[in-house]
Amino acid sequence: MEVERNPEPPKMNDELIKLLTELCFRNDDELEKVNGVFVFSSMIDHEKIVALIDKIVINNFSEQIFISGGNAPKEVKEEIGVELQLTESEALIDAINVDKYPNVKVFSERNSSNTLANVTETLKIQEFRETKSLIFIFKSHAAGRGYLTLRKFFPSIKILQQTFNAKYKDAESEITRSNWHTFDFGRKRVWGEYLRIVKYGSRGDIEYEEVKHLVKEIDKQLEAYRSEEGGNAFAQLLR
């Protein structure tokens, strides 16, 4: 695992929480007609994903669905508490019941095991390579990373976002943009997202220029908070 899934986060002030929310969650978009729906792989919350696909497809916003996901890594299965015999994309296609969409083409890839590969493996499908606009579906707290991954390979097309709030086995509640900072698992998970964006951005796996200003502001807040905490600790010693 390149970045720990749930790293220990620093203490956070209100401004840092606001900036991390903006970077990691982003905002969902109003639906418009697009060439395709791209679904990032997931082993959990299939009913939420299906509900989003239904909302998009039944209302005629797209006639193509691209579903990604191979065999999830062992540590992911252990964290979620799910053991799938199928690939992630196969399990999700089973959950969708594609017969509901007689006029929609459903494509899938079954080889990826991470977010970058979700995109690069799906790019082997010609229809995906040629798409001119997309709606992507992903976990809300990972939407920033998902968007930046897609933007790396589609620098100029319209990319819209629709998300769901994920619930993990060991988490106290769903992770949402309004509550993530209020419980331990949520803070760790979003802090991990920030670290991934910085790492993947620095090595060129994702579009990074678009969010460098946010990362710089987050770094400023971290430094200011550390200085304040250090000053307070020093003042305590002098008492």
Side-chain angles (χ1 to χ4, degrees):
M1 188 62 60
E2 293 189 341
V3 177
E4 187 181 346
R5 297 191 70 77
N6 300 302
E8 196 62 37
K11 291 184 178 180
M12 300 179 185
N13 59 21
D14 289 344
E15 184 61 22
L16 181 55
I17 290 168
K18 176 184 174 183
L19 290 167
L20 286 169
T21 303
E22 184 179 352
L23 175 67
C24 297
F25 285 80
R26 303 182 72 251
N27 290 311
D28 283 0
D29 297 290
E30 292 292 327
L31 291 177
E32 300 176 20
K33 193 166 183 63
V34 294
N35 294 147
V37 179
F38 180 76
V39 184
F40 281 100
S41 65
S42 177
M43 292 182 65
I44 59 173
D45 294 320
H46 283 177
E47 69 283 353
K48 296 177 183 177
I49 299 174
V50 171
L52 287 173
I53 293 173
D54 281 348
K55 181 173 74 169
I56 296 166
V57 174
I58 291 175
N59 288 293
N60 298 315
F61 288 112
S62 183
E63 296 178 353
Q64 294 188 123
I65 306 171
F66 302 95
I67 297 177
S68 65
N71 287 307
K74 179 181 177 183
E75 60 269 21
V76 175
K77 294 178 181 179
E78 290 174 348
E79 178 186 62
I80 295 170
V82 173
E83 184 64 46
L84 283 181
Q85 300 304 315
L86 303 173
T87 64
E88 292 173 304
S89 58
E90 288 170 334
L92 187 52
I93 288 172
D94 279 356
I96 289 172
N97 182 14
V98 294
D99 291 340
K100 293 185 297 185
Y101 315 136
N103 300 316
V104 174
K105 294 181 179 179
V106 179
F107 304 88
S108 67
E109 65 79 19
R110 303 174 184 181
N111 298 314
S112 63
S113 59
N114 58 61
T115 302
L116 176 61
N118 289 162
V119 178
T120 57
E121 288 294 323
T122 309
L123 280 167
K124 295 176 182 178
I125 301 171
Q126 180 178 350
E127 287 83 353
F128 185 62
R129 291 197 305 273
E130 295 177 350
T131 189
K132 303 302 181 186
S133 55
L134 281 173
I135 297 170
F136 76 89
I137 295 174
F138 205 11
K139 300 180 288 284
S140 59
H141 67 275
R145 180 165 54 90
Y147 166 79
L148 293 169
T149 306
L150 283 167
R151 183 56 78 198
K152 169 73 177 180
F153 297 94
F154 295 100
S156 59
I157 73 168
K158 179 183 294 182
I159 300 176
L160 305 179
Q161 171 181 311
Q162 289 285 293
T163 60
F164 62 94
N165 297 321
K167 174 65 173 73
Y168 293 88
K169 181 184 67 171
D170 295 329
E172 296 90 319
S173 66
E174 293 181 338
I175 301 175
T176 74
R177 65 180 299 117
S178 61
N179 79 354
W180 69 265
H181 59 280
T182 65
F183 60 102
D184 188 56
F185 188 94
R187 288 189 294 272
K188 289 179 177 178
R189 199 68 179 197
V190 172
W191 182 244
E193 283 299 319
Y194 165 73
L195 295 177
R196 286 179 183 83
I197 288 173
V198 172
K199 184 178 182 68
Y200 301 164
S202 64
R203 73 183 187 195
D205 288 351
I206 62 176
E207 159 58 33
Y208 198 40
E209 289 299 320
E210 192 169 328
V211 296
K212 270 188 174 179
H213 67 290
L214 277 175
V215 172
K216 188 175 292 186
E217 287 301 314
I218 289 168
D219 287 344
K220 284 182 183 178
Q221 286 299 316
L222 287 169
E223 186 60 36
Y225 197 78
R226 291 190 191 106
S227 298
E228 181 182 342
E229 287 289 290
N232 289 339
F234 184 68
Q236 289 290 330
L237 290 173
L238 294 178
R239 288 182 181 178

